[in-house]
Amino acid sequence: MLAIHGGTPVRDGRPWPQWPQYDDRTERELLAALRSARWSVSRHGPNGGKSRERLFGAAFAHYNGAAHGVSVDHGSSALVIALEALGIGPGDEVIVPGMTWVAPASAVLRVGALPVLADVDPETGCLTGEHIRGLISDRTRAVIAVHLACTAVRLDDILGVVSDAGLRLIEDCSQSHGTRWAGRNVGTFGDIGVFSLGAAKTLAAGEAGVAITDSTRLYERMLMLRADSRGYTTHEPAPGEDELVEIGTVMGANYCMSELTAAILLDQLRRLDHQHALRASRTKELEAGLPDIPGLAPIPVPAQIDRRAVYEYGIQFRPGTFGDASIESVAAALTAELGTKIYPPRVPLHRSVLLRPETKPRFARWWNDAAARAAGRPFPGADHYRDHTLLMHHSVLLGDGGDIDDLLAALSKVRAQASSLTAKGMA
Ligand SMILES: *Cc1c(COP(=O)(O)O)cnc(C)c1O
């Protein structure tokens, strides 16, 4: 009997790896920041020197092979300053994938531009060149490409479309820290790469974000955009001296990262490659076993990806693999067998309650026109992805090989007994 109906679960109660991960070194870094009496880049410290948020921005840029990095308080803020640095605002349109977290669409609204939702590839959930091409108008200025879950946008496919149309490209790498495409990290192919460093992400600090770029001009603009029009002094700050000076060539707001957050990130960044390697071994074992279960397959990964970050590992199933069962009931049954959450992707943005610009006066004025254009437009790729993909958090892949045996056993068991689950539309 399935665990969800009172049977014995596959997993014997053994705990899954905890997330986030930290140890004595993290505590030392955090205490050092606390005791330094410098909690913000905006306030000088008694000891002088560069802020931790500046050191993290540089370290993260270096990790990715980019020239510059700008630390911010959220991935959402990184999207906002990236759009602003590129000069995008009222009257402009930005193409955003329909299958993603709401932030790429809301960031476009926050700069006064219009997000135009694009359908996505049904197997990867990512934007394609064809989807972009179909939506380009004479107002289109940029594309936000999201490298989703455990795969990446086909950069070979979209880069040509974007440059042919003279558009700017922002890569949202919030789910792909350190993914490499043909030897180069994602986030360095577009004008700007943005990353969330939120609590669940593979590089996590609770609430934080960062943007990387090779352009010194965009870097200097992003510094001001996130620090109330201020940038760094050109020299190392002396004790008691401010590190930020008023420049004001572009007006900003305050999206600065706290020094305590930066301390955690400087520690976490040093763990990232080891965690990537662990997840890669577990992923390999899982993908060796998946073909034994009819109807199941991993989310496809383009051959050019020579290292991938797994944020959420996705398994796809052919229609009918779980009979008539709804994806919610399959996910709930797997969760009950395993004692860790297995879940469907989020509802795509074209029907998500998180994207309701008409409820905010500031957005409502220009949203109507877009809403009218989007009305009735189908999103078959996003809908298929949402209804045929099962996700798990990357921390599930940070344990040992026994965890993979449990995952495979649970998938087999639920597939074999899917007829006892709730059918689609039966709630
Ligand atoms: C998490 C996430 C964000 C938002 O980041 P915050 O740090 O929560 O603002 C943006 N884009 C994508 C694709 C994400 O997954």
Side-chain angles (χ1 to χ4, degrees):
M1 207 199 304
L2 291 175
I4 202 167
H5 297 139
T8 309
V10 165
R11 180 88 167 179
D12 58 7
R14 214 155 53 85
W16 293 87
Q18 132 180 338
W19 187 262
Q21 298 190 340
Y22 63 91
D23 59 19
D24 295 352
R25 194 182 73 199
T26 328
E27 293 180 5
R28 282 196 305 273
E29 295 271 5
L30 195 48
L31 269 178
L34 183 79
R35 291 173 178 156
S36 76
R38 183 153 191 218
W39 292 0
S40 161
V41 63
S42 293
R43 176 154 170 82
H44 56 75
N47 304 317
K50 287 181 180 145
S51 55
R52 283 178 167 79
E53 66 83 44
R54 185 174 184 178
L55 296 175
F56 172 72
F60 191 71
H62 181 259
Y63 175 83
N64 287 294
H68 307 288
V70 179
S71 296
V72 287
D73 59 356
H74 287 97
S76 305
S77 311
L79 282 161
V80 168
I81 63 168
L83 290 160
E84 290 179 328
L86 293 169
I88 291 162
D92 297 333
E93 292 180 0
V94 178
I95 295 171
V96 172
M99 189 70 238
T100 184
W101 179 239
V102 69
S106 52
V108 174
L109 290 162
R110 286 169 65 188
V111 304
L114 204 60
V116 176
L117 299 184
D119 198 20
V120 294
D121 180 273
E123 291 189 332
T124 64
C126 290
L127 273 181
T128 69
E130 195 184 323
H131 289 119
I132 294 170
R133 214 180 284 118
L135 293 171
I136 295 174
S137 77
D138 52 11
R139 297 180 155 209
T140 310
R141 292 282 314 283
V143 174
I144 298 177
V146 178
H147 301 297
L148 198 69
C150 57
T151 189
V153 171
R154 293 206 60 112
L155 288 159
D156 52 345
D157 173 31
I158 70 156
L159 286 171
V161 176
V162 166
S163 73
D164 286 351
L167 305 179
R168 311 311 292 265
L169 176 64
I170 296 170
E171 290 178 80
D172 185 339
C173 311
S174 299
Q175 306 191 2
S176 58
H177 309 75
T179 291
R180 264 201 302 261
W181 176 279
R184 212 169 116 192
N185 277 34
V186 298
T188 64
F189 289 84
D191 296 281
I192 298 170
V194 302
F195 301 75
S196 168
L197 307 168
K201 302 291 154 75
T202 53
L203 182 61
E207 304 281 0
V210 60
I212 58 172
T213 184
D214 280 336
S215 158
T216 303
R217 193 186 74 89
L218 292 175
Y219 168 64
E220 287 171 353
R221 282 175 69 85
M222 288 196 288
L223 286 179
M224 284 183 276
L225 286 161
R226 63 92 205 229
D228 281 322
S229 325
R230 294 166 300 168
Y232 296 124
T233 51
T234 48
H235 56 273
E236 186 96 359
E241 187 192 7
D242 283 334
E243 188 172 6
L244 294 180
V245 286
E246 296 181 7
I247 300 173
T249 46
V250 58
M251 182 167 170
N254 186 2
Y255 304 126
C256 288
M257 176 190 286
S258 147
E259 288 295 282
L260 305 181
T261 299
I264 294 175
L265 285 167
L266 285 165
D267 167 75
Q268 293 292 310
L269 183 57
R270 287 151 71 189
R271 300 169 196 277
L272 183 59
D273 281 347
H274 173 66
Q275 291 167 343
H276 277 325
L278 252 180
R279 284 185 289 252
S281 325
R282 296 291 88 81
T283 303
K284 207 167 149 198
E285 291 161 9
L286 182 52
E287 294 188 351
L290 267 185
D292 294 341
I293 311 173
L296 300 189
I299 289 180
V301 177
Q304 291 90 335
I305 294 186
D306 36 40
R307 179 177 70 186
R308 70 165 158 166
V310 173
Y311 166 58
E312 292 173 314
Y313 187 80
I315 296 170
Q316 289 189 323
F317 56 93
R318 275 201 305 274
T321 300
F322 294 97
D324 282 340
S326 70
I327 182 141
E328 288 80 7
S329 65
V330 171
L334 288 164
T335 300
E337 296 299 337
L338 290 164
T340 191
K341 203 173 161 204
I342 307 293
Y343 47 95
R346 290 181 182 279
V347 170
L349 295 180
H350 67 283
R351 50 194 175 86
S352 169
V353 296
L354 303 181
L355 187 62
R356 292 264 173 92
E358 67 278 12
T359 61
K360 192 160 184 158
R362 182 148 68 93
F363 299 159
R365 283 176 46 207
W366 65 90
W367 176 250
N368 290 338
D369 134 69
R373 269 195 293 143
R377 192 148 56 77
F379 288 80
D383 287 335
H384 181 93
Y385 180 88
R386 149 74 200 183
D387 290 340
H388 298 92
T389 307
L390 294 160
L391 297 173
M392 65 191 84
H393 187 244
H394 62 87
S395 57
V396 169
L397 302 170
L398 288 173
D400 59 35
D403 293 347
I404 301 306
D405 296 337
D406 287 346
L407 281 167
L408 291 167
L411 286 162
S412 289
K413 181 179 172 186
V414 171
R415 195 189 76 90
Q417 298 182 53
S419 59
S420 67
L421 294 173
T422 311
K424 281 176 210 134
M426 306 293 287

